[in-house]
Amino acid sequence: MKKDKIKNIKKPFTGAIVKILVHVLGKILGAVLYYFDVSHRRTVKRNLKFIYPEWKDEKIRTISKQVFQNFGITVFEIIQMYFLKKKNILSNIHIIRGEEYLRKAIDGSNGVVLASAHIGNWESAALFVPCYYGKSVVSVARKIDSAIINKVALKMRTRFGNSIINKEGALPEMTRTVRSGNILAILIDQNTTASEGVVINFFGKKVTATPAAAMVAIRCNSPVIPAFCIREKNNQLGIIFEPPVKITRTKSLRDDLITNTQAINDVVEKIIREYPDQWLWMHKRWKKFHREIYPEYQSRHRRIREKTILKQTKGKDEI
């Protein structure tokens, strides 16, 4: 009786009507966030203007709204994915191009690194791979602050045999994962600290980026395949696998990390330029070297620095 109830609950989440409802509700959520989340709206517009100075204000505004709508749709799709079966995943998502790249890499013996970004529905690719290729994915993810949301996200992310590595201090486990012949998925498009990252160019601007994908590839002699789940014009989700990134190996590990991290991020930039309305421009990606884009962050950073100096001075006076 209990199983029948669960089946009845899951059925409504798989139909065509629900798919339309997901997109309608997602767009509404996106519109609400656009108008009320002033901070992120401002960040999106400033990022777009910084990267595309030739764009007129009207286009900046249009793309900004679409960024929020994509995010809203993704939120509802993620909720829906919690209930979808393997057949529903395969009917909702298809491969646009590059099916052979991952197939060939899986047939190898050195494991695979999937490098991805927060574009389209970034959570779907990891669920699609075990359903289509029959091989589970180990993803690197940060623990979500909310215990309830983290528990739900973890259950969704570990469906179909997938597993999660906590982002904190993950490199040793990431290396073991790939050396064991598994698929490792990493999101590489967000900012990182200077101590943990390397300096590269992203959209022609200096940023710090995680070298994790490059490091694992060098250590394990494994291929790095950029993979993205984007939303097509008919609202169908599609997977894009790009050709394996050529990994450079010299006598200088530091130089190799910079060179290879740059090469991987170049592919990320390429896909964002192809689908600019689907990337998560809400992130302050260029804050390390271009704080002038985010004056509020610059002001906050200055206040924190002043407080730190004040505490240090006060401590010395007490001594």
Side-chain angles (χ1 to χ4, degrees):
M1 183 72 178
K2 192 175 181 180
K3 287 184 178 179
D4 291 338
K5 285 184 178 180
I6 294 172
K7 284 181 180 179
N8 289 332
I9 291 172
K10 287 186 176 183
K11 279 182 181 179
F13 287 89
T14 61
I17 295 176
V18 172
K19 187 175 180 181
I20 295 171
L21 186 62
V22 162
H23 284 83
V24 171
L25 291 175
K27 284 188 175 183
I28 292 172
L29 175 60
V32 171
L33 290 174
Y34 176 81
Y35 285 108
F36 288 98
D37 189 350
V38 178
S39 177
H40 282 110
R41 183 181 73 213
R42 192 163 45 205
T43 299
V44 170
K45 288 183 175 181
R46 287 174 178 170
N47 282 339
L48 287 169
K49 194 66 178 176
F50 181 60
I51 297 304
Y52 298 102
E54 72 279 9
W55 284 7
K56 294 182 179 179
D57 290 345
E58 185 179 348
K59 184 168 184 179
I60 295 287
R61 188 163 48 251
T62 299
I63 296 296
S64 297
K65 288 179 179 179
Q66 291 172 349
V67 167
F68 276 86
Q69 287 175 348
N70 178 76
F71 178 74
I73 293 170
T74 299
V75 168
F76 279 97
E77 284 177 341
I78 289 172
I79 295 170
Q80 185 188 24
M81 280 159 45
Y82 189 87
F83 299 94
L84 296 181
K85 295 180 179 179
K86 178 180 176 180
K87 63 179 182 180
N88 304 123
I89 295 286
L90 294 175
S91 64
N92 285 354
I93 308 171
H94 72 109
I95 295 179
I96 297 174
R97 63 175 184 261
E99 189 269 353
E100 69 278 12
Y101 299 131
L102 184 55
R103 177 76 66 190
K104 186 177 179 180
I106 289 173
D107 291 340
S109 58
N110 295 331
V112 186
V113 177
L114 289 182
S116 193
H118 294 83
I119 191 168
N121 185 329
W122 56 90
E123 294 283 356
S124 290
L127 291 182
F128 174 82
V129 170
C131 294
Y132 186 87
Y133 290 95
K135 192 172 179 67
S136 59
V137 175
V138 181
S139 299
V140 181
R142 181 183 66 84
K143 187 177 180 181
I144 301 171
D145 295 333
S146 169
I148 296 174
I149 296 176
N150 185 68
K151 185 177 180 180
V152 173
L154 186 63
K155 191 168 183 180
M156 184 273 294
R157 288 169 171 170
T158 54
R159 299 189 69 202
F160 310 114
N162 287 351
S163 56
I164 296 292
I165 296 175
N166 194 313
K167 189 177 180 181
E168 298 298 323
L171 188 58
E173 194 170 350
M174 289 163 60
T175 303
R176 285 193 295 270
T177 296
V178 176
R179 280 180 176 163
S180 299
N182 297 308
I183 301 174
L184 178 74
I186 316 173
L187 292 166
I188 63 164
D189 58 324
Q190 293 197 336
N191 195 48
T192 188
T193 60
S195 60
E196 295 179 345
V198 295
V199 179
I200 63 166
N201 286 311
F202 193 55
F203 285 86
K205 316 292 184 181
K206 284 174 69 176
V207 296
T208 51
T210 173
M215 177 65 87
V216 173
I218 292 169
R219 282 185 175 182
C220 304
N221 194 29
S222 59
V224 176
I225 298 178
F228 311 97
C229 182
I230 59 91
R231 187 169 289 104
E232 297 183 285
K233 290 181 179 179
N234 60 357
N235 291 326
Q236 176 79 18
L237 290 175
I239 304 290
I240 294 175
F241 294 112
E242 295 290 353
V245 177
K246 184 180 179 181
I247 300 299
T248 300
R249 293 176 178 84
T250 67
K251 293 181 179 179
S252 173
L253 176 60
R254 181 67 182 176
D255 290 345
D256 289 349
L257 288 177
I258 295 172
T259 300
N260 293 315
T261 301
Q262 181 68 67
I264 298 168
N265 276 269
D266 285 345
V267 184
V268 173
E269 179 183 328
K270 172 177 169 285
I271 204 74
I272 294 172
R273 287 190 181 278
E274 196 172 343
Y275 302 94
D277 57 316
Q278 295 189 40
W279 189 51
L280 207 64
W281 293 89
M282 302 170 189
H283 180 61
K284 295 181 178 70
R285 186 66 183 95
W286 291 272
K287 68 181 180 182
K288 173 67 177 174
F289 296 99
H290 302 279
R291 289 179 183 170
E292 71 278 4
I293 310 172
Y294 321 106
E296 295 81 11
Y297 170 80
Q298 198 170 5
S299 177
R300 178 174 170 271
H301 187 78
R302 192 184 302 114
R303 288 197 303 271
I304 292 171
R305 189 169 65 248
E306 288 171 354
K307 285 182 180 179
T308 303
I309 294 171
L310 187 63
K311 284 182 180 179
Q312 290 173 348
T313 304
K314 188 178 179 181
K316 286 180 181 179
D317 291 341
E318 289 175 355
I319 294 171

